[in-house]
Amino acid sequence: MVDEPDGHHAMRLETGVALVNALTGEHVRGRPKPALGGDDLVRVATETLGNGQIDLLTAERLRNLASRLREIIESLSRREHDEAAGLLNQMLEDSKARPSLQRHGEQSWHLHFHGPDADLVQQWAAGLAVSVAAAFGEHIPHRVGLCAAPRCDQVYIDASQAQIKRFCGLACQNRVKAAAYRARRSGS
């Protein structure tokens, strides 16, 4: 049995987590997250994917995709694997994900999970759905989660060998540790 998703799936998962964190959620590192709309939404979606061809409608559809992925991750964080599997199966169906070999110009043949006419959001939806599904059985349930810090709803991938990550980053981990220290000091 393979311990890690392959590199292409792992890259998609990382991009999916980046989309979720950039386009959804209400708090980050203990502070309210500003609502994104209009040009800000387009800018953030463009920066996250590194694609300069995103308009407002595409950015809104990407936010919807990120919200669906967040639902799956939240279910996994609550250890509701059956619910997560149901949401993921629906995402696979809706994205019409199906493997096909494609070639662009002189490039060699390679595997895609969307049709040749799929737009950017359809491409990401199919690729993310397949990547999450490929990692779901053994890897995803204990490798993704919601930050355990108060007032932070960022998601993360735990790539550590010990699989004990609880926070989206050091800022939240340090905030929680500092609060616990202050609580101990005030109680003594």
Side-chain angles (χ1 to χ4, degrees), residues 12-21 24 65-81 83-85 87-88 91 128 132 136 140-147 153-158:
R12 277 200 201 107
L13 292 173
E14 289 172 8
T15 302
V17 164
L19 270 176
V20 169
N21 287 336
T24 69
L65 173 61
S67 294
R68 293 183 74 181
L69 189 54
R70 174 179 282 282
E71 282 185 83
I72 294 167
I73 293 170
E74 287 175 350
S75 295
L76 291 170
S77 292
R78 293 187 306 266
R79 306 235 185 274
E80 295 172 356
H81 298 156
E83 178 182 329
L87 292 168
L88 183 54
M91 191 173 167
L128 282 170
V132 173
F136 187 85
I140 284 277
H142 49 274
R143 292 291 190 161
V144 297
L146 291 173
C147 184
D153 56 12
Q154 298 288 280
V155 300
Y156 62 82
I157 296 176
D158 183 356

Side-chain angles (χ1 to χ4, degrees), residues 28-120:
V28 61
R29 293 181 199 91
R31 294 189 168 84
K33 187 175 178 179
L36 292 174
D39 291 341
D40 288 336
L41 178 61
V42 171
R43 179 185 50 77
V44 170
T46 301
E47 289 171 358
T48 304
L49 290 184
N51 184 320
Q53 302 172 5
I54 296 177
D55 59 19
L56 182 56
L57 178 60
T58 301
E60 288 170 347
R61 290 176 57 218
L62 284 167
R63 179 167 41 198
N64 182 49
L65 173 61
S67 294
R68 293 183 74 181
L69 189 54
R70 174 179 282 282
E71 282 185 83
I72 294 167
I73 293 170
E74 287 175 350
S75 295
L76 291 170
S77 292
R78 293 187 306 266
R79 306 235 185 274
E80 295 172 356
H81 298 156
D82 291 344
E83 178 182 329
L87 292 168
L88 183 54
N89 279 334
Q90 188 63 54
M91 191 173 167
L92 283 162
E93 185 177 324
D94 293 346
S95 72
K96 298 178 177 60
R98 66 181 188 344
S100 66
L101 289 171
Q102 295 181 29
R103 184 175 183 180
H104 310 286
E106 296 297 314
Q107 291 181 353
S108 60
W109 289 94
H110 55 278
L111 189 60
H112 279 264
F113 295 99
H114 55 79
D117 297 328
D119 67 22
L120 180 72

